[in-house]
């Protein structure tokens, strides 16, 4: 769906990424923001679902320093005043350097109904240069008038086989010796969340002896 939308130049004005923690919602939001603004190594790239990861925009988004891609933690910015000072007062200005000004609102279920209502007009009729990406573990707490104006992408638990191969590759790259039989145990303890699985692996490596 995303690839077709990008190729047809019909990128939605707002997305909502939902699912349990650690399944890639915010990471995907950053990839979408990169895809919207990637210029490629030759400086002439168009919006793409496979951003290069090396141009100035991709690098700045990865490092969290892009002036036109703002990540907002809704857990600490819940009210009307927070939304107004962080988002509403700045959207009238065109992007400083990129094609799109992108607001990634993490933990979106923490925004108050009054805060969402303040955003409603922008989500409904945004300026051409503005895009919103909401990420949440509790979509039912995002008011219906916002949800109905977004493209919804539900994220599911990551299959054990994928996580196992990822951990094996990661350990190899990090030069970590790990018994193959230990990897399924780590994956099971992570419960299908990439972040939880990596935390379990990190704790295991931190507590293991040289053997």
């Amino acid at each position: 769906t995303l690839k077709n939308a990008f190729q047809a130049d019909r990128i939605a004005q707002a997305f909502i990424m939902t699912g349990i923690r650690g399944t890639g919602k915010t990471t995907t939001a950053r990839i979408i923001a990169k895809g919207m603004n990637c210029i490629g190594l030759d400086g002439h790239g168009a919006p793409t679902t496979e951003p290069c990861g090396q141009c100035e925009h991709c690098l700045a988004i990865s490092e969290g320093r892009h002036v036109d891609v703002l990540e907002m933690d809704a857990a600490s910015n819940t009210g009307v005043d927070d939304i107004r000072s962080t988002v509403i007062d700045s959207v009238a200005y065109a992007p400083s350097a990129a094609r799109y000004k992108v607001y990634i609102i993490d933990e979106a279920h923490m925004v108050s109904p009054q805060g969402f209502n303040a955003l409603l007009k922008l989500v409904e009729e945004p300026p051409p240069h503005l895009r919103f990406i909401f990420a949440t573990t509790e979509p039912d707490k995002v008011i219906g008038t916002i949800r109905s104006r977004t493209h919804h992408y539900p994220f599911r638990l990551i299959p054990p086989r994928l996580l196992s191969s990822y951990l094996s590759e990661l350990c190899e790259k990090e030069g970590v010796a790990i018994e193959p039989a230990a990897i399924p145990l780590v994956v099971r303890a992570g419960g299908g969340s990439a972040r939880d699985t990596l935390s379990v692996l990190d704790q295991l490596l931190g507590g293991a002896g040289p053997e």
Side-chain angles (χ1 to χ4, degrees):
T1 305
L2 278 170
K3 285 184 176 180
N4 289 339
F6 270 68
Q7 288 167 2
D9 195 22
R10 295 180 62 87
I11 302 171
Q13 74 268 25
F15 302 87
I16 184 167
M17 313 288 178
T18 65
I20 72 160
R21 66 186 185 277
T23 49
K25 299 181 298 296
T26 309
T27 299
T28 302
R30 292 186 191 119
I31 293 171
I32 293 173
K34 289 178 186 178
M36 290 179 187
N37 291 312
C38 179
I39 57 173
L41 294 179
D42 60 359
H44 300 291
T48 174
T49 50
E50 296 186 10
C52 70
Q54 299 178 52
C55 70
E56 57 181 303
H57 295 300
C58 287
L59 290 173
I61 293 170
S62 291
E63 295 165 8
R65 57 178 176 81
H66 200 294
V67 295
D68 295 319
V69 177
L70 178 71
E71 283 192 40
M72 175 182 165
D73 178 14
S76 53
N77 297 273
T78 61
V80 176
D81 292 339
D82 298 316
I83 296 294
R84 183 172 289 116
S85 62
T86 308
V87 181
I88 296 174
D89 290 345
S90 64
V91 295
Y93 301 103
S96 300
R99 292 188 197 95
Y100 292 99
K101 185 174 282 190
V102 184
Y103 288 91
I104 299 172
I105 302 181
D106 208 2
E107 305 293 345
H109 58 277
M110 299 293 286
V111 176
S112 69
Q114 294 81 8
F116 273 128
N117 283 323
L119 275 179
L120 184 57
K121 187 68 174 175
L122 279 177
V123 175
E124 188 176 27
E125 298 177 4
H129 61 262
L130 182 65
R131 294 293 184 273
F132 286 99
I133 306 175
F134 301 96
T136 177
T137 54
E138 301 181 58
D140 291 344
K141 291 186 178 179
V142 178
I143 64 173
T145 47
I146 291 285
R147 288 205 313 271
S148 67
R149 289 165 172 81
T150 63
H151 284 198
H152 184 186
Y153 290 89
F155 285 63
R156 297 175 177 85
L157 296 175
I158 302 171
R161 185 179 297 177
L162 278 178
L163 274 177
S164 294
S165 62
Y166 175 58
L167 292 189
S168 299
E169 180 185 342
L170 190 62
C171 288
E172 184 179 340
K173 286 182 176 178
E174 294 288 336
V176 172
I178 184 169
E179 291 286 343
I183 290 178
L185 300 176
V186 174
V187 169
R188 188 185 307 165
S193 161
R195 188 163 63 238
D196 288 1
T197 301
L198 290 175
S199 293
V200 172
L201 179 64
D202 195 42
Q203 183 175 345
L204 178 64
L205 297 179
E211 70 280 6

